[in-house]
Amino acid sequence: MLKNSSSHYGVVSVVLHWLVAVTVFGLFAAGFWMVDLSYYSEWYRTAPHWHKSTGILLAIVMLLRLLWRWLSPPPQALATHRSWEKKTSAVVQCCLYLGILLLVISGYLISTEDGRPIAVFDWFEVPALGALFTNQADIAGLVHEYVAYSLIALAVLHGMAALKHHYIDKDHTLKRMFGRKP
Amino acid sequence: MKKLLLAASVAAMMTLPAQAADYVIDTQGAHAFVQFKISHLGYSWLYGRFNTFSGDFSYDADKLTDAKIQLTIDTASVDSNHAERDKHLRSGDFLNVSKHPKATFVSTKIVPKAGETFDLHGNLTLNGVTKEVVIAAEKLGEGKDPWGGYRAGFAGTTTLTLKDFAINTDLGPASATVQLDLTVEGIRK
């Protein structure tokens, strides 16, 4: 039940998938909104703090997800999936993982250039490595911004593809992602 | 007698005050500082500085009004000891450093005041806006250094209104102005 089989997703993969999906969109919305907060907004300090905290937790969840993927590989694609669909979805999913990785790294590099650690809520701190290259916060900031937009665009594409399978192809692709068996 | 007179006049000429000497600001040894302070919420001071700048001045103690100074500041070198704040300061909300990488000050006039103090008038270009500012300045000292050179040092301070330089981000009523503090030590060229 917990583990994936060759034909369906177990609970762990399903929960991890949707947890990451909600978190990624939440972090994007928070990031989009918080960069324009005025200095006197009550969220001016809280929003970035929560954004960073959640981002670090997301990184940990992604590591667990990769570990789980290795322990319990995902099911095979449905037999009705065409070859180009399999290839495209594999590339998109790979890019989604890569995008999250890049966002975590670039976000970390923005905040830690001055050697200050990142406080994850008030639970623990991630130590800083300081400045690793010149102009670090600015470059990392641009990377963070562009990758965030790209990731959201890809995630929307990923979601639309799932809806296409559900409503147009009328296959089990999306239902499977909720743990349903074929 | 003639020889003596000649020798005396040569000696006299040698002791005449030199032409206004040119100095390069000692950024190499970092004996010069471009710092600022701005109120935080009206409760305390936030200090920062520009780490990269260059400039020179000409100065003669006897002809103060002929003195000149020019200073070029690399605005991207702003440093308030906080990476995220510095990133914000470099952005379009404040210094807009990608569009205006340099800030300059070029003196126009000197008005001597009591003792070693004087008003240094000049044009400050910051964030693409040029405005005349007056720096309340003071000569700190001059003389030989221990390594065979000759140095002169000055300090000056002025208060800038952020809006005057098209920096419109609202930091609150107490933070509408920023105090700029300059200390320059020049090495005679």
Side-chain angles (χ1 to χ4, degrees), chain A residues 80-114:
Chain A
T80 51
H81 287 178
R82 279 156 288 186
S83 161
W84 71 266
E85 287 176 325
K86 287 185 219 168
K87 279 180 199 152
T88 316
S89 76
V91 169
V92 169
Q93 285 178 41
C94 186
C95 288
L96 290 171
Y97 276 76
L98 205 64
I100 293 173
L101 179 75
L102 276 173
L103 281 169
V104 169
I105 293 173
S106 57
Y108 172 85
L109 291 176
I110 299 171
S111 297
T112 56
E113 185 183 5
D114 55 16

Side-chain angles (χ1 to χ4, degrees), chain A residues 35 39-40 44 48 52 110-114 116 135 137-138 140-142, chain B residues 40-42 81-84 86-88 90 93 97 170-173 175:
Chain A
V35 292
Y39 198 62
Y40 280 73
Y44 189 84
K52 286 185 272 186
I110 299 171
S111 297
T112 56
E113 185 183 5
D114 55 16
R116 283 187 181 76
N135 221 0
D138 288 13
L142 278 180
Chain B
H40 184 230
L41 306 171
N81 191 26
H82 192 276
E84 287 169 12
D86 293 344
K87 177 175 182 290
H88 197 194
R90 288 188 295 266
D93 284 348
V97 307
D170 184 20
L171 292 171
S175 311

Side-chain angles (χ1 to χ4, degrees), chain A:
Chain A
M1 209 54 226
L2 288 177
K3 291 185 96 172
N4 302 327
S5 76
S6 63
S7 63
H8 85 285
Y9 283 104
V11 174
V12 175
S13 286
V14 169
V15 168
L16 285 173
H17 172 268
W18 291 106
L19 179 65
V20 170
V22 169
T23 308
V24 163
F25 277 93
L27 282 174
F28 178 76
F32 186 81
W33 163 73
M34 76 187 191
V35 292
D36 288 324
L37 287 176
S38 77
Y39 198 62
Y40 280 73
S41 161
E42 59 178 316
W43 289 101
Y44 189 84
R45 286 161 51 82
T46 317
H49 175 52
W50 288 4
H51 180 89
K52 286 185 272 186
S53 298
T54 311
I56 296 292
L57 294 179
L58 175 67
I60 295 167
V61 169
M62 284 303 289
L63 286 178
L64 293 175
R65 204 174 164 196
L66 283 170
L67 182 70
W68 186 250
R69 200 183 169 94
W70 176 66
L71 289 173
S72 173
Q76 285 161 357
L78 294 178
T80 51
H81 287 178
R82 279 156 288 186
S83 161
W84 71 266
E85 287 176 325
K86 287 185 219 168
K87 279 180 199 152
T88 316
S89 76
V91 169
V92 169
Q93 285 178 41
C94 186
C95 288
L96 290 171
Y97 276 76
L98 205 64
I100 293 173
L101 179 75
L102 276 173
L103 281 169
V104 169
I105 293 173
S106 57
Y108 172 85
L109 291 176
I110 299 171
S111 297
T112 56
E113 185 183 5
D114 55 16
R116 283 187 181 76
I118 294 179
V120 178
F121 297 106
D122 53 358
W123 305 340
F124 63 95
E125 286 185 340
V126 180
L129 293 174
L132 302 175
F133 49 92
T134 54
N135 221 0
Q136 177 173 314
D138 288 13
I139 294 168
L142 278 180
V143 170
H144 200 74
E145 184 179 356
Y146 288 127
V147 172
Y149 283 115
S150 310
L151 182 75
I152 288 304
L154 270 181
V156 168
L157 183 71
H158 176 74
M160 279 167 45
L163 293 176
K164 175 238 179 211
H165 279 287
H166 190 72
Y167 288 110
I168 299 173
D169 300 341
K170 298 193 191 303
D171 66 21
H172 247 78
T173 310
L174 182 58
K175 283 185 193 157
R176 243 176 26 153
M177 204 61 253
F178 286 99
R180 300 268 291 274
K181 289 182 180 173

Side-chain angles (χ1 to χ4, degrees), chain B residues 6 8 13 19 22 45 49 52 62 65 82 84 96 107 117 134 146-147 151 154 157 159 161 170-172 177 179:
Chain B
L6 189 68
M13 272 166 73
Q19 288 292 309
D22 291 325
W45 291 116
R49 66 183 190 197
T52 310
D62 294 332
T65 50
H82 192 276
E84 287 169 12
N96 211 351
S107 68
T117 64
V134 181
W147 316 288
R151 292 168 186 253
F154 300 85
T157 183
T159 299
T161 300
D170 184 20
L171 292 171
T177 61
Q179 183 179 319

Side-chain angles (χ1 to χ4, degrees), chain B residues 2 31 42 50 71 75 86 89 112 125 136 147 155 169 180:
Chain B
K2 230 177 185 178
H31 294 113
F50 292 93
L71 193 66
T75 52
D86 293 344
L89 292 177
T125 304
W147 316 288
T169 301
L180 199 59

Side-chain angles (χ1 to χ4, degrees), chain B residues 133-151:
Chain B
V133 297
V134 181
I135 297 175
E138 179 190 8
K139 185 179 129 188
L140 300 173
E142 70 175 309
K144 286 180 188 159
D145 66 25
W147 316 288
Y150 191 93
R151 292 168 186 253

Side-chain angles (χ1 to χ4, degrees), chain B:
Chain B
M1 189 63 203
K2 230 177 185 178
K3 268 184 183 166
L4 197 66
L5 210 67
L6 189 68
S9 57
V10 167
M13 272 166 73
M14 282 171 77
T15 54
L16 276 177
Q19 288 292 309
D22 291 325
Y23 292 79
V24 61
I25 293 171
D26 186 16
T27 48
Q28 190 69 38
H31 294 113
F33 302 87
V34 179
Q35 310 202 124
F36 59 86
K37 69 172 184 178
I38 185 166
S39 173
H40 184 230
L41 306 171
Y43 307 147
S44 75
W45 291 116
L46 181 140
Y47 286 85
R49 66 183 190 197
F50 292 93
N51 289 332
T52 310
F53 56 93
S54 63
D56 36 43
F57 59 84
S58 63
Y59 166 76
D60 179 346
D62 294 332
K63 282 184 277 180
L64 177 62
T65 50
D66 288 352
K68 285 183 170 54
I69 180 167
Q70 68 86 24
L71 193 66
T72 302
I73 298 163
D74 181 354
T75 52
S77 71
V78 66
D79 181 356
S80 71
N81 191 26
H82 192 276
E84 287 169 12
R85 179 168 56 220
D86 293 344
K87 177 175 182 290
H88 197 194
L89 292 177
R90 288 188 295 266
S91 78
D93 284 348
F94 294 94
L95 295 168
N96 211 351
V97 307
S98 54
K99 213 172 154 204
H100 304 295
K102 302 281 181 209
T104 57
F105 175 78
V106 182
S107 68
T108 51
K109 180 171 76 168
I110 285 174
V111 180
K113 286 163 65 182
E116 298 282 21
T117 64
F118 55 93
D119 278 343
L120 176 63
H121 294 244
N123 290 315
L124 176 68
T125 304
L126 178 66
N127 195 25
V129 179
T130 303
K131 252 189 91 73
E132 208 207 315
V133 297
V134 181
I135 297 175
E138 179 190 8
K139 185 179 129 188
L140 300 173
E142 70 175 309
K144 286 180 188 159
D145 66 25
W147 316 288
Y150 191 93
R151 292 168 186 253
F154 300 85
T157 183
T158 189
T159 299
L160 308 175
T161 300
L162 293 178
K163 276 204 163 53
D164 287 350
F165 292 91
I167 298 171
N168 296 314
T169 301
D170 184 20
L171 292 171
S175 311
T177 61
V178 59
Q179 183 179 319
L180 199 59
D181 290 314
L182 304 144
T183 293
V184 296
E185 179 180 299
I187 307 172
R188 197 154 74 186
K189 289 182 190 170

